Amino acid sequence: MATIETDICVIGAGSGGLSVAAGAVQMGAKVVLLEGHKMGGDCLNYGCVPSKALLAAGHKAHGTSEGAFGVAGHAPNPDYAAAKDHVHAVIAEIEPVDSQDRFEGLGVHVIRQFGRFISETEVQAGEDTIKARRFVIATGSRPFVPPIPGLADVPYHTNETIFDLRERPEHLIIIGGGPIGLEMAQAHRRLGSKVTVLEGDKAMGKDDPEAAAIVLENLRAEGIEIIEGALASQISGSEGAITVETKDGTRYEGTHLLVAVGRQVNVDKLDLEKAGVDYDRRGVTVDAGLRSTNKRVYAVGDVAGGYQFTHVAGYHAGVIIRPMLFGLPAKARTDHIPWATYTSPELAQVGLTEAQAKEKHGDGVFIAKAEFHHNDRGIATGQTKGFAKVMVVKGRPVGATIVGPQAGDLIQIWSMAIANKMKMSAVAGMIAPYPTLGEINKRAASAYFSPKLFESDTVKKVVRFVQRFGRP
């Protein structure tokens, strides 16, 4: 047994932990990184990366089946196992960036053991005791498995196991109509499975209803059965024959079951009480600077109790680097954090939704909107469903919703605008190449100014005066 003294001990090698470790060690700090499972965490191995790879396979199959622009479609006959090979090939290609070898090459002391606190200044990891000036909890989250009667007695999948399934489900039942459930629903439907989604409340219930309706309409048009208000109350069956009964007594039968009802943070094995770190079911209790009740201990990413997105974990890493390495104050913000659901069409959001903006700012909110069916690139490529909607207060965007092609990419300009407190005139003054989908953002910004310019009697009087008395 050895005692290792270091400047920073990072617990968890997911997105947040890796970002902290890489940044800190390259700026001169001594760093110990603990990981008892897979390097890269949930995002690389079970989340963002494999899900987008499987969606890409489904997109390719769907594109082949659709006839358009004078080109006839044909049955794609997708190979489900080969699609999973693609998923794992993508993981393997990205894996070296998050690998133990790479981080040891940077100078990080990597220990492949789970860590648990044994005091306010020490963590135990296998045979080693790590004593550090600062600790970073970056343990992420895992799928939440609800206590539905019978669930424990039947075979089921979560996002941690579905990507290892090699045989295409004949009929996949998905419990949960959020982003994970609906992304997997569309991917599997396009790869040849029958899919039923059971949602206890409203599908995409956290998103702008107007935008969510467009996504749900498209998913249903592709043959995905989405049942809302269907709270699962009993599950029974065996491999290849699963029955889910909902609260109203309706029974749904399928061959496979995916549980996608949310996530729970990984705090239970950390012995946080011994470190004087407060926590609850949402995660570690942190202040605006992501510091816990033990001032030596920070938390980043999912376990910090806020948004559960990979890019948030990376953002958090940048926030805590300042106080840990330089003693400079830093606070985490949430108003500029975007997120996206990568269905087709995509749905992306940053800042306040329309409902939230109206609740907070009342009549002071102006809704600037542009439709994809007026976007020339969208028309040319047959991608005309959706819109960009921007919530504006006193000339500045406070939120934006985009539903349509490449919404996850298009939302970024509004994240930048909100992060830097830019005015709508900055986006309106942008020159976008023609024709591009990105023009929709400029059109939305211009929609804010149109009433002021084209419906203003004052403007018209000024123009008439200049035309009459101004120099020729």
Side-chain angles (χ1 to χ4, degrees), residues 61-393:
H62 185 70
T64 303
S65 66
E66 281 192 317
F69 315 130
V71 179
H74 60 83
N77 192 27
D79 185 330
Y80 187 78
K84 289 299 181 67
D85 289 340
H86 165 67
V87 168
H88 290 286
V90 170
I91 294 173
E93 185 168 342
I94 297 173
E95 209 167 34
V97 178
D98 294 346
S99 69
Q100 180 174 344
D101 286 347
R102 175 174 180 258
F103 277 79
E104 288 179 337
L106 293 174
V108 177
H109 185 169
V110 181
I111 299 175
R112 300 301 294 275
Q113 296 285 345
F114 290 106
R116 61 180 182 84
F117 284 93
I118 56 176
S119 74
E120 292 186 356
T121 60
E122 296 170 305
V123 163
Q124 189 73 38
E127 296 296 315
D128 297 313
T129 300
I130 296 91
K131 187 172 184 178
R133 295 187 71 251
R134 298 283 185 268
F135 293 90
V136 179
I137 300 172
T139 48
S141 63
R142 63 186 183 274
F144 172 65
V145 179
I148 304 172
L151 179 59
D153 301 321
V154 303
Y156 67 89
H157 290 281
T158 67
N159 71 293
E160 291 188 346
T161 62
I162 191 70
F163 299 109
D164 289 327
L165 182 65
R166 302 286 298 174
E167 183 178 347
R168 182 178 65 204
E170 181 180 334
H171 185 177
L172 178 64
I173 297 177
I174 300 175
I175 298 178
I180 296 173
L182 294 181
E183 286 181 1
M184 289 299 93
Q186 189 170 48
H188 281 81
R189 179 61 187 146
R190 289 179 165 189
L191 290 172
S193 297
K194 182 178 179 181
V195 179
T196 298
V197 178
L198 304 177
E199 167 55 48
D201 193 4
K202 284 187 172 295
M204 305 191 82
K206 295 182 179 180
D207 290 294
D208 177 271
E210 184 184 15
I214 292 174
V215 176
L216 296 175
E217 179 186 19
N218 197 70
L219 296 180
R220 287 183 170 119
E222 291 187 16
I224 299 170
E225 185 180 26
I226 302 173
I227 314 296
E228 297 178 294
L231 189 65
S233 61
Q234 180 73 41
I235 299 175
S236 59
S238 57
E239 187 170 352
I242 305 292
T243 299
V244 178
E245 184 173 332
T246 55
K247 199 172 183 180
D248 64 0
T250 307
R251 294 163 64 88
Y252 299 89
E253 296 181 351
T255 59
H256 294 73
L257 177 64
L258 171 64
V259 178
V261 295
R263 303 187 64 77
Q264 65 183 90
V265 295
N266 294 323
V267 295
D268 43 308
K269 296 179 181 179
L270 290 170
D271 287 347
L272 294 176
E273 296 85 355
K274 294 179 181 179
V277 173
D278 291 348
Y279 67 96
D280 57 27
R281 62 179 182 82
R282 293 170 298 180
V284 175
T285 303
V286 295
D287 61 18
L290 303 172
R291 183 176 284 189
S292 77
T293 48
N294 177 344
K295 299 308 179 184
R296 294 176 177 267
V297 180
Y298 295 80
V300 299
D302 292 7
V303 78
Y307 289 136
Q308 295 183 337
F309 305 120
T310 297
H311 49 281
V312 171
Y315 164 63
H316 282 174
V319 170
I320 68 169
I321 283 289
R322 291 185 65 188
M324 287 198 306
L325 298 188
F326 303 106
L328 299 173
K331 293 182 179 180
R333 294 169 55 187
T334 58
D335 61 325
H336 65 314
I337 293 173
W339 64 91
T341 300
Y342 295 93
T343 47
S344 178
E346 295 181 6
L347 192 159
Q349 176 71 40
V350 64
L352 302 177
T353 63
E354 179 178 354
Q356 291 168 339
K358 288 180 176 177
E359 181 179 354
K360 184 174 181 178
H361 298 285
D363 294 337
V365 179
F366 182 93
I367 307 301
K369 192 174 181 181
E371 306 276 353
F372 274 101
H373 66 245
H374 292 308
N375 178 273
D376 291 357
R377 182 63 177 272
I379 295 170
T381 58
Q383 299 173 297
T384 56
K385 288 185 180 178
F387 58 80
K389 179 166 59 175
V390 185
M391 282 52 74
V392 188
V393 176

Side-chain angles (χ1 to χ4, degrees), residues 418-431:
I418 294 171
N420 294 283
K421 303 185 186 304
M422 297 164 64
K423 292 186 175 181
M424 292 295 284
S425 56
V427 180
M430 172 193 72
I431 305 300

